[in-house]
Amino acid sequence: MLDDLFAGALADAEARRATLSLERVEAAALARPPALDARAALAPAERVKVIAEVKRASPSRGDLSAIADPASLAAAYARGGASAISVLTEGRRFKGTLADLEAVRAAVDVPVLRKDFIAEPYQVLEARAAGADIVLLIVAGLEQARLVELHDLVRQLGMTALIETHSADEVARGLDAGAEVLGVNARDLATFELDRDLFGRLSGLVPDGVTRVAESAVASPADVAHYRRSGADVVLVGEALVTHGDPAAALTSFLEV
């Protein structure tokens, strides 16, 4: 599944490159105002922080929410106290677009994360050109040299990388690459099974000074509390918000943990 997701994302990026060259995307990225300081926005605090996600679908659950107006949803998240907004831009399985990211960027004043299967510099430049402040880099899908290359580019563009891991080896690789914000995803991207306790087993490997983000398996305030007790500074929440009848109220309940 992970290989297919990366292959599809790269094929789609190549199709976009056919109409919008690397040089033009780079120029657009460099013309953007400076990225927001996402590391500061997500820094550890007395209360847990939330990255709230704009997510229409997933490979494991299928369609979740139509989200006809991603900007309106993101604005509600920001008003509700989200420290950052994650936007799925992968189109084949998650039904997202870069246009969603651009719309969200225009609607909120908090950092915005491009969540996609990033494997080449063109995609990083696209993210900055669309207004992203944070870029997801999934260790499981990247050779170490490419992970380091992309992380360096993210920083050169003034953005922050959320380096996603799923094992002790991947945590070590992420830290070796210079991770400042490191996520542990409870969802196995090969089988799509969930292990809510994975974060707790790996969080102790992450040194002080690196922001710890718990991803996936967040369905209730009890899940947020579980991750907080396990050392999470931030939780990333998608499905539980977009499938709730009142996403803002659900977000508030998470932030009250």
Side-chain angles (χ1 to χ4, degrees), residues 124-169:
V124 175
L125 291 165
E126 280 185 318
R128 180 81 281 266
D133 309 287
I134 316 169
V135 174
L136 181 71
L137 299 178
I138 303 173
V139 174
L142 300 168
E143 297 291 337
Q144 189 66 11
R146 179 49 63 96
L147 174 63
V148 170
E149 175 192 7
L150 295 176
H151 190 219
D152 287 348
L153 177 58
V154 168
R155 290 195 291 195
Q156 289 167 18
L157 291 169
M159 295 188 291
T160 299
L162 168 55
I163 294 188
E164 179 177 297
T165 66
H166 305 82
S167 68
D169 176 67

Short mmCIF file of all heavy atoms in Angstrom, two decimals, residues 124-169:
data_model
loop_
_atom_site.label_atom_id
_atom_site.label_comp_id
_atom_site.label_asym_id
_atom_site.label_seq_id
_atom_site.Cartn_x
_atom_site.Cartn_y
_atom_site.Cartn_z
N VAL A 124 8.25 19.35 -2.60
CA VAL A 124 8.53 20.29 -1.51
C VAL A 124 8.34 21.73 -1.99
O VAL A 124 7.73 22.55 -1.31
CB VAL A 124 9.95 20.08 -0.97
CG1 VAL A 124 10.29 21.13 0.08
CG2 VAL A 124 10.11 18.68 -0.39
N LEU A 125 8.84 22.02 -3.18
CA LEU A 125 8.67 23.35 -3.74
C LEU A 125 7.20 23.66 -3.99
O LEU A 125 6.73 24.78 -3.75
CB LEU A 125 9.47 23.48 -5.04
CG LEU A 125 10.99 23.48 -4.85
CD1 LEU A 125 11.68 23.23 -6.19
CD2 LEU A 125 11.47 24.79 -4.24
N GLU A 126 6.44 22.67 -4.46
CA GLU A 126 5.00 22.85 -4.63
C GLU A 126 4.34 23.23 -3.30
O GLU A 126 3.45 24.09 -3.26
CB GLU A 126 4.36 21.54 -5.09
CG GLU A 126 4.45 21.19 -6.54
CD GLU A 126 3.65 19.94 -6.83
OE1 GLU A 126 3.70 18.97 -6.03
OE2 GLU A 126 2.96 19.90 -7.86
N ALA A 127 4.76 22.55 -2.25
CA ALA A 127 4.18 22.81 -0.94
C ALA A 127 4.38 24.27 -0.53
O ALA A 127 3.45 24.94 -0.09
CB ALA A 127 4.79 21.87 0.10
N ARG A 128 5.60 24.78 -0.69
CA ARG A 128 5.88 26.17 -0.31
C ARG A 128 5.14 27.12 -1.24
O ARG A 128 4.60 28.14 -0.79
CB ARG A 128 7.39 26.41 -0.39
CG ARG A 128 7.81 27.83 0.00
CD ARG A 128 7.88 28.02 1.53
NE ARG A 128 6.59 28.23 2.18
CZ ARG A 128 6.05 29.40 2.45
NH1 ARG A 128 6.66 30.52 2.08
NH2 ARG A 128 4.91 29.48 3.07
N ALA A 129 5.09 26.80 -2.54
CA ALA A 129 4.39 27.66 -3.49
C ALA A 129 2.90 27.76 -3.15
O ALA A 129 2.27 28.79 -3.39
CB ALA A 129 4.58 27.13 -4.91
N ALA A 130 2.34 26.68 -2.61
CA ALA A 130 0.93 26.67 -2.24
C ALA A 130 0.69 27.29 -0.86
O ALA A 130 -0.46 27.47 -0.46
CB ALA A 130 0.38 25.25 -2.27
N GLY A 131 1.77 27.59 -0.14
CA GLY A 131 1.62 28.25 1.15
C GLY A 131 1.85 27.39 2.37
O GLY A 131 1.61 27.82 3.49
N ALA A 132 2.35 26.17 2.18
CA ALA A 132 2.59 25.30 3.32
C ALA A 132 3.73 25.83 4.19
O ALA A 132 4.71 26.36 3.69
CB ALA A 132 2.91 23.88 2.85
N ASP A 133 3.58 25.64 5.49
CA ASP A 133 4.63 25.96 6.46
C ASP A 133 5.32 24.70 6.96
O ASP A 133 6.43 24.76 7.50
CB ASP A 133 4.03 26.69 7.65
CG ASP A 133 3.17 27.88 7.22
OD1 ASP A 133 3.74 28.88 6.79
OD2 ASP A 133 1.92 27.77 7.30
N ILE A 134 4.63 23.57 6.82
CA ILE A 134 5.12 22.28 7.30
C ILE A 134 4.96 21.27 6.16
O ILE A 134 3.97 21.31 5.42
CB ILE A 134 4.33 21.77 8.52
CG1 ILE A 134 4.09 22.90 9.54
CG2 ILE A 134 5.03 20.59 9.19
CD1 ILE A 134 3.10 22.54 10.63
N VAL A 135 5.93 20.36 6.05
CA VAL A 135 5.86 19.30 5.05
C VAL A 135 6.05 17.96 5.75
O VAL A 135 6.97 17.80 6.56
CB VAL A 135 6.94 19.49 3.97
CG1 VAL A 135 6.97 18.30 3.01
CG2 VAL A 135 6.70 20.77 3.19
N LEU A 136 5.20 17.00 5.43
CA LEU A 136 5.33 15.65 5.98
C LEU A 136 6.38 14.88 5.20
O LEU A 136 6.34 14.82 3.97
CB LEU A 136 3.99 14.92 5.90
CG LEU A 136 3.98 13.50 6.47
CD1 LEU A 136 4.08 13.53 7.99
CD2 LEU A 136 2.73 12.73 6.03
N LEU A 137 7.32 14.26 5.93
CA LEU A 137 8.30 13.36 5.33
C LEU A 137 8.18 12.02 6.04
O LEU A 137 8.39 11.93 7.26
CB LEU A 137 9.72 13.92 5.48
CG LEU A 137 10.00 15.26 4.81
CD1 LEU A 137 11.44 15.71 5.09
CD2 LEU A 137 9.75 15.19 3.30
N ILE A 138 7.82 10.98 5.30
CA ILE A 138 7.58 9.65 5.87
C ILE A 138 8.84 8.81 5.72
O ILE A 138 9.22 8.43 4.61
CB ILE A 138 6.39 8.97 5.17
CG1 ILE A 138 5.14 9.85 5.30
CG2 ILE A 138 6.13 7.59 5.77
CD1 ILE A 138 3.95 9.35 4.49
N VAL A 139 9.48 8.50 6.83
CA VAL A 139 10.76 7.79 6.80
C VAL A 139 10.62 6.46 6.07
O VAL A 139 11.52 6.06 5.32
CB VAL A 139 11.28 7.59 8.24
CG1 VAL A 139 12.55 6.73 8.23
CG2 VAL A 139 11.56 8.92 8.90
N ALA A 140 9.51 5.76 6.28
CA ALA A 140 9.35 4.43 5.70
C ALA A 140 9.38 4.44 4.18
O ALA A 140 9.68 3.40 3.57
CB ALA A 140 8.03 3.81 6.18
N GLY A 141 9.11 5.57 3.56
CA GLY A 141 9.06 5.62 2.10
C GLY A 141 10.29 6.25 1.46
O GLY A 141 10.31 6.42 0.24
N LEU A 142 11.31 6.56 2.27
CA LEU A 142 12.45 7.31 1.75
C LEU A 142 13.77 6.66 2.13
O LEU A 142 13.96 6.28 3.30
CB LEU A 142 12.43 8.75 2.29
CG LEU A 142 11.20 9.59 1.96
CD1 LEU A 142 11.19 10.87 2.79
CD2 LEU A 142 11.16 9.91 0.47
N GLU A 143 14.68 6.57 1.18
CA GLU A 143 16.06 6.21 1.50
C GLU A 143 16.65 7.32 2.35
O GLU A 143 16.24 8.48 2.25
CB GLU A 143 16.88 6.01 0.22
CG GLU A 143 16.40 4.87 -0.66
CD GLU A 143 16.64 3.50 -0.03
OE1 GLU A 143 17.53 3.40 0.85
OE2 GLU A 143 15.93 2.54 -0.39
N GLN A 144 17.65 6.99 3.18
CA GLN A 144 18.17 7.98 4.11
C GLN A 144 18.75 9.20 3.40
O GLN A 144 18.52 10.34 3.84
CB GLN A 144 19.24 7.35 5.01
CG GLN A 144 19.70 8.24 6.16
CD GLN A 144 18.59 8.49 7.18
OE1 GLN A 144 17.54 7.85 7.15
NE2 GLN A 144 18.83 9.43 8.10
N ALA A 145 19.46 9.00 2.31
CA ALA A 145 20.03 10.14 1.61
C ALA A 145 18.94 11.07 1.09
O ALA A 145 19.07 12.30 1.15
CB ALA A 145 20.91 9.67 0.45
N ARG A 146 17.84 10.51 0.58
CA ARG A 146 16.75 11.33 0.09
C ARG A 146 16.02 12.02 1.25
O ARG A 146 15.62 13.18 1.14
CB ARG A 146 15.77 10.47 -0.73
CG ARG A 146 14.55 11.21 -1.30
CD ARG A 146 14.89 12.50 -2.01
NE ARG A 146 15.71 12.38 -3.18
CZ ARG A 146 15.26 12.30 -4.42
NH1 ARG A 146 13.96 12.33 -4.64
NH2 ARG A 146 16.11 12.22 -5.43
N LEU A 147 15.87 11.33 2.38
CA LEU A 147 15.26 11.94 3.55
C LEU A 147 16.05 13.17 3.99
O LEU A 147 15.48 14.25 4.25
CB LEU A 147 15.19 10.93 4.70
CG LEU A 147 14.70 11.45 6.06
CD1 LEU A 147 13.27 11.95 5.97
CD2 LEU A 147 14.83 10.36 7.12
N VAL A 148 17.37 13.03 4.05
CA VAL A 148 18.22 14.15 4.45
C VAL A 148 18.13 15.28 3.42
O VAL A 148 18.02 16.46 3.78
CB VAL A 148 19.68 13.68 4.61
CG1 VAL A 148 20.62 14.87 4.79
CG2 VAL A 148 19.80 12.72 5.79
N GLU A 149 18.15 14.93 2.14
CA GLU A 149 18.06 15.94 1.08
C GLU A 149 16.76 16.74 1.19
O GLU A 149 16.77 17.98 1.12
CB GLU A 149 18.14 15.26 -0.29
CG GLU A 149 17.95 16.21 -1.46
CD GLU A 149 17.74 15.50 -2.79
OE1 GLU A 149 17.62 14.26 -2.80
OE2 GLU A 149 17.70 16.20 -3.82
N LEU A 150 15.65 16.04 1.34
CA LEU A 150 14.36 16.72 1.41
C LEU A 150 14.23 17.55 2.69
O LEU A 150 13.70 18.66 2.67
CB LEU A 150 13.22 15.71 1.32
CG LEU A 150 13.11 14.94 -0.01
CD1 LEU A 150 12.01 13.89 0.08
CD2 LEU A 150 12.85 15.88 -1.17
N HIS A 151 14.72 17.01 3.79
CA HIS A 151 14.67 17.75 5.05
C HIS A 151 15.49 19.03 4.96
O HIS A 151 15.06 20.10 5.41
CB HIS A 151 15.16 16.88 6.20
CG HIS A 151 14.91 17.47 7.55
ND1 HIS A 151 15.81 17.40 8.59
CD2 HIS A 151 13.85 18.18 8.03
CE1 HIS A 151 15.32 18.02 9.65
NE2 HIS A 151 14.13 18.49 9.34
N ASP A 152 16.64 18.94 4.35
CA ASP A 152 17.48 20.13 4.17
C ASP A 152 16.78 21.17 3.29
O ASP A 152 16.82 22.37 3.58
CB ASP A 152 18.82 19.74 3.54
CG ASP A 152 19.74 19.02 4.51
OD1 ASP A 152 19.43 19.00 5.73
OD2 ASP A 152 20.76 18.46 4.06
N LEU A 153 16.10 20.71 2.23
CA LEU A 153 15.39 21.64 1.36
C LEU A 153 14.24 22.32 2.10
O LEU A 153 14.02 23.53 1.95
CB LEU A 153 14.87 20.91 0.12
CG LEU A 153 14.04 21.75 -0.86
CD1 LEU A 153 14.83 22.96 -1.37
CD2 LEU A 153 13.56 20.89 -2.03
N VAL A 154 13.52 21.54 2.90
CA VAL A 154 12.43 22.10 3.69
C VAL A 154 12.95 23.24 4.56
O VAL A 154 12.37 24.33 4.63
CB VAL A 154 11.77 21.00 4.55
CG1 VAL A 154 10.84 21.62 5.60
CG2 VAL A 154 10.99 20.03 3.68
N ARG A 155 14.06 23.02 5.22
CA ARG A 155 14.62 24.05 6.10
C ARG A 155 15.15 25.24 5.31
O ARG A 155 15.01 26.39 5.74
CB ARG A 155 15.72 23.43 6.97
CG ARG A 155 15.17 22.48 8.01
CD ARG A 155 16.15 22.14 9.09
NE ARG A 155 17.25 21.31 8.61
CZ ARG A 155 18.08 20.65 9.41
NH1 ARG A 155 17.94 20.71 10.73
NH2 ARG A 155 19.06 19.91 8.92
N GLN A 156 15.76 24.98 4.16
CA GLN A 156 16.26 26.08 3.33
C GLN A 156 15.13 27.01 2.89
O GLN A 156 15.33 28.22 2.73
CB GLN A 156 16.97 25.53 2.09
CG GLN A 156 18.31 24.88 2.37
CD GLN A 156 18.82 24.08 1.19
OE1 GLN A 156 18.36 24.25 0.07
NE2 GLN A 156 19.76 23.18 1.44
N LEU A 157 13.94 26.43 2.71
CA LEU A 157 12.78 27.22 2.30
C LEU A 157 12.07 27.87 3.50
O LEU A 157 11.03 28.51 3.32
CB LEU A 157 11.80 26.34 1.53
CG LEU A 157 12.28 25.87 0.15
CD1 LEU A 157 11.37 24.79 -0.40
CD2 LEU A 157 12.37 27.04 -0.83
N GLY A 158 12.64 27.69 4.69
CA GLY A 158 12.08 28.32 5.87
C GLY A 158 10.92 27.56 6.49
O GLY A 158 10.26 28.07 7.41
N MET A 159 10.66 26.34 6.02
CA MET A 159 9.56 25.54 6.54
C MET A 159 10.06 24.59 7.63
O MET A 159 11.24 24.54 7.95
CB MET A 159 8.91 24.75 5.40
CG MET A 159 8.25 25.60 4.35
SD MET A 159 7.29 24.62 3.15
CE MET A 159 8.60 23.78 2.26
N THR A 160 9.13 23.85 8.18
CA THR A 160 9.41 22.83 9.19
C THR A 160 8.99 21.48 8.64
O THR A 160 7.94 21.37 7.99
CB THR A 160 8.62 23.11 10.49
OG1 THR A 160 9.01 24.39 11.01
CG2 THR A 160 8.87 22.04 11.53
N ALA A 161 9.80 20.46 8.89
CA ALA A 161 9.43 19.10 8.49
C ALA A 161 8.82 18.36 9.67
O ALA A 161 9.35 18.41 10.78
CB ALA A 161 10.65 18.34 7.98
N LEU A 162 7.69 17.71 9.43
CA LEU A 162 7.17 16.72 10.36
C LEU A 162 7.66 15.37 9.86
O LEU A 162 7.20 14.88 8.82
CB LEU A 162 5.64 16.76 10.42
CG LEU A 162 4.94 15.59 11.14
CD1 LEU A 162 5.46 15.43 12.56
CD2 LEU A 162 3.42 15.77 11.13
N ILE A 163 8.62 14.79 10.55
CA ILE A 163 9.21 13.52 10.12
C ILE A 163 8.44 12.40 10.80
O ILE A 163 8.43 12.28 12.03
CB ILE A 163 10.71 13.47 10.46
CG1 ILE A 163 11.45 14.52 9.62
CG2 ILE A 163 11.27 12.08 10.21
CD1 ILE A 163 12.96 14.44 9.70
N GLU A 164 7.79 11.58 9.98
CA GLU A 164 6.91 10.53 10.49
C GLU A 164 7.63 9.19 10.57
O GLU A 164 8.31 8.79 9.63
CB GLU A 164 5.69 10.39 9.58
CG GLU A 164 4.72 9.31 10.02
CD GLU A 164 3.49 9.25 9.14
OE1 GLU A 164 2.74 10.26 9.12
OE2 GLU A 164 3.28 8.23 8.47
N THR A 165 7.44 8.50 11.71
CA THR A 165 8.11 7.22 11.94
C THR A 165 7.11 6.17 12.41
O THR A 165 5.99 6.49 12.84
CB THR A 165 9.21 7.38 13.01
OG1 THR A 165 8.60 7.70 14.28
CG2 THR A 165 10.19 8.49 12.63
N HIS A 166 7.57 4.91 12.35
CA HIS A 166 6.71 3.79 12.77
C HIS A 166 7.48 2.73 13.55
O HIS A 166 6.91 1.69 13.90
CB HIS A 166 6.08 3.12 11.53
CG HIS A 166 5.32 4.04 10.65
ND1 HIS A 166 5.93 4.83 9.70
CD2 HIS A 166 3.99 4.33 10.59
CE1 HIS A 166 5.02 5.56 9.08
NE2 HIS A 166 3.84 5.28 9.59
N SER A 167 8.77 2.96 13.79
CA SER A 167 9.59 1.96 14.47
C SER A 167 10.79 2.64 15.12
O SER A 167 11.09 3.80 14.82
CB SER A 167 10.09 0.90 13.48
OG SER A 167 11.04 1.49 12.58
N ALA A 168 11.49 1.89 15.99
CA ALA A 168 12.68 2.44 16.64
C ALA A 168 13.75 2.79 15.62
O ALA A 168 14.42 3.83 15.72
CB ALA A 168 13.22 1.44 17.66
N ASP A 169 13.90 1.95 14.60
CA ASP A 169 14.89 2.23 13.56
C ASP A 169 14.53 3.50 12.81
O ASP A 169 15.42 4.33 12.52
CB ASP A 169 14.95 1.05 12.58
CG ASP A 169 15.90 1.33 11.42
OD1 ASP A 169 17.12 1.43 11.66
OD2 ASP A 169 15.41 1.43 10.28
#
